[in-house]
Amino acid sequence: MVGRGMRVVVSEQDMDNCQCAACVHVDTKQRLLDTFSIPQDISITTGLETKHQINVEWSDGHRSQYSKQFLKHAVGHFDKRSIIRQGLENIELWDSSIAKKAPKVKDEHTDRIPLILEEIHKYGFVYVDLAPATPEATEALLRSISFIRETHYGGFYDFTADLASKDTAYTNIALEAHTDTTYFSDPAGLQAFHLLEHSGGEGGASLLVDGFKVARDLCEEDPEAYEILATTNVHSHASGNDGISIQPYRGFPVFQHDVATGNLMQIRWNSSDRAAIELPIGEVGKWYDAARKWDAMLKKEENEYWAQLKPGTVLIFDNWRVLHGRSAFTGKRRICGGYINRDDWISKFKMTHFGKDVVLGRLASG
């Protein structure tokens, strides 16, 4: 041991985590040290513990300083590090009763982005008051979170039910609860809808379902069905537009988990865009049985939150967690919005919620 209770720092891996300015760039936080130039038999020649840190001199003459807080988090604690990495902390699952307390951030908040991200992180969605109720103001709001993701449909969208893009979203038919962009290897993280106009008709209520809550219910009620949906790869595609057939580089299960912690991280569910299921023909029935049960639970009245969007209120939701849909409608319905990458919005959430020092303090290689 070095001092009182800290493990001895003795391997090339430990020197690889040296945080001095010669090993880590002060501004970019990228490694400067050539890891594989560290002698495999490196050892400590001297070690001194102070109140807040441990000072080490290595057998090759290099000197390192490790804060006790850094070492505390560098030794194991994969579960605690994953909370920071994944942005998973104090998540609240919900059902249709969320209608009584739907999360909302009002327009008068001057620094509202941290509040918006806190609500999305906790509930998976948030309503944001917006003035004026224009596409320009909506786009500015989204860009204040991060850049808007470009797809084969474009970037920021402003559309009516005219099939300008060959997707059922551009029609007036009802859409069951689903997640978007399952046909991408990396599905969109956030999605936003702002109803600008609905005239000369009715219907078009928006549907939200907490996929994490329903997944938990399925796991408790039928663990075997959950396991099938968590382990069977399913392929997807987007092929409606001329000259385009987008497919992920591989199939993915409906439920995606962090391999280190087992935490549910992502739901990919869109029957409209589904292609092949990676099971032998004699076993594929098991997937359909499990998917049928999952689908039925998504459609339980107790799990469906319905609401009418209105001009001046933007709905932003986590496309990795919350499924969305709508009822059929008549008349002219104009919607604007866009996608934001998951890594980018989680990055901003982590930096505003945990702070830079905490986030960077969990980056040690182990």
Side-chain angles (χ1 to χ4, degrees):
M1 295 291 178
V2 176
R4 301 179 299 276
M6 283 295 178
R7 74 179 177 107
V8 68
V9 189
V10 295
S11 71
E12 59 181 322
Q13 173 177 295
D14 294 305
M15 185 172 171
D16 190 38
N17 281 314
C18 179
Q19 299 296 295
C20 78
C23 293
V24 175
H25 194 284
V26 174
D27 295 319
T28 71
K29 305 305 178 183
Q30 292 172 292
R31 293 181 190 274
L32 300 175
L33 173 67
D34 178 1
T35 298
F36 306 104
S37 69
I38 302 171
Q40 285 184 288
D41 60 351
I42 196 158
S43 61
I44 293 174
T45 56
T46 61
L48 175 65
E49 179 182 5
T50 65
K51 184 177 180 180
H52 298 294
Q53 68 184 29
I54 292 177
N55 302 311
V56 172
E57 182 168 344
W58 299 90
S59 54
D60 68 350
H62 187 77
R63 293 181 179 181
S64 300
Q65 293 180 339
Y66 300 92
S67 72
K68 291 183 178 180
Q69 187 74 3
F70 176 83
L71 288 177
K72 177 182 177 181
H73 294 295
V75 183
H77 297 293
F78 289 105
D79 55 340
K80 294 180 181 178
R81 270 191 267 168
S82 70
I83 291 175
I84 309 297
R85 171 170 49 81
Q86 299 165 351
L88 291 178
E89 185 183 53
N90 300 325
I91 284 177
E92 187 168 320
L93 305 182
W94 49 267
D95 55 22
S96 60
S97 64
I98 194 71
K100 301 174 183 177
K101 54 173 184 177
K104 187 171 186 178
V105 174
K106 296 186 179 297
D107 188 55
E108 59 262 25
H109 289 292
T110 54
D111 187 19
R112 56 186 176 176
I113 297 305
L115 296 175
I116 290 170
L117 298 181
E118 288 280 352
E119 298 289 66
I120 297 173
H121 157 262
K122 186 174 183 179
Y123 297 102
F125 76 101
V126 69
Y127 293 107
V128 182
D129 282 349
L130 190 66
T134 64
E136 292 77 15
T138 309
E139 183 173 359
L141 170 65
L142 296 184
R143 292 194 184 279
S144 65
I145 298 174
S146 186
F147 65 90
I148 294 172
R149 179 170 178 170
E150 291 275 348
T151 73
H152 55 299
Y153 297 127
F156 182 79
Y157 48 73
D158 182 352
F159 68 93
T160 60
D162 59 3
L163 265 182
S165 293
K166 302 302 186 289
D167 190 281
T168 51
Y170 292 80
T171 69
N172 62 356
I173 64 176
L175 301 177
E176 295 183 348
H178 64 282
T179 60
D180 267 20
T181 62
T182 56
Y183 41 76
F184 288 149
S185 300
D186 174 29
L190 296 183
Q191 184 167 8
F193 290 134
H194 186 187
L195 178 69
L196 299 174
E197 175 189 355
H198 189 182
S199 58
E202 57 186 16
S206 290
L207 166 66
L208 298 179
V209 178
D210 187 352
F212 282 9
K213 185 269 183 185
V214 180
R216 182 202 64 184
D217 293 348
L218 177 64
C219 188
E220 292 176 351
E221 182 176 317
D222 192 336
E224 183 177 351
Y226 185 95
E227 181 68 12
I228 290 171
L229 296 180
T231 56
T232 303
N233 289 335
V234 179
H235 293 263
S236 300
H237 74 111
S239 305
N241 292 65
D242 290 342
I244 291 176
S245 182
I246 296 175
Q247 298 173 264
Y249 72 96
R250 47 158 284 198
F252 292 89
V254 175
F255 304 139
Q256 285 258 87
H257 297 82
D258 181 275
V259 295
T261 65
N263 290 331
L264 177 61
M265 295 302 302
Q266 181 191 80
I267 291 173
R268 302 172 73 117
W269 180 254
N270 192 327
S271 275
S272 295
D273 296 333
R274 178 164 43 82
I277 299 166
E278 285 186 23
L279 281 176
I281 190 66
E283 298 178 24
V284 74
K286 296 179 181 178
W287 185 90
Y288 279 102
D289 289 343
R292 183 175 289 107
K293 176 160 284 192
W294 161 249
D295 181 69
M297 294 180 76
L298 289 174
K299 293 174 180 173
K300 282 186 175 181
E301 186 176 351
E302 66 195 59
N303 290 326
E304 294 185 326
Y305 164 48
W306 290 91
Q308 286 282 359
L309 299 180
K310 60 182 181 179
T313 299
V314 182
L315 169 63
I316 308 175
F317 58 92
D318 181 354
N319 185 56
W320 282 29
R321 170 182 173 181
V322 172
L323 295 85
H324 67 284
R326 68 158 186 248
S327 64
F329 66 91
T330 56
K332 180 182 179 182
R333 189 170 181 264
R334 182 184 172 195
I335 291 273
C336 71
Y339 295 127
I340 292 175
N341 286 332
R342 199 264 179 187
D343 288 344
D344 296 291
W345 87 262
I346 285 291
S347 170
K348 180 158 285 190
F349 164 73
K350 290 188 298 186
M351 297 300 272
T352 57
H353 179 78
F354 298 111
K356 180 179 179 180
D357 290 343
V358 172
V359 173
L360 297 185
R362 302 303 194 276
L363 297 179
S365 61

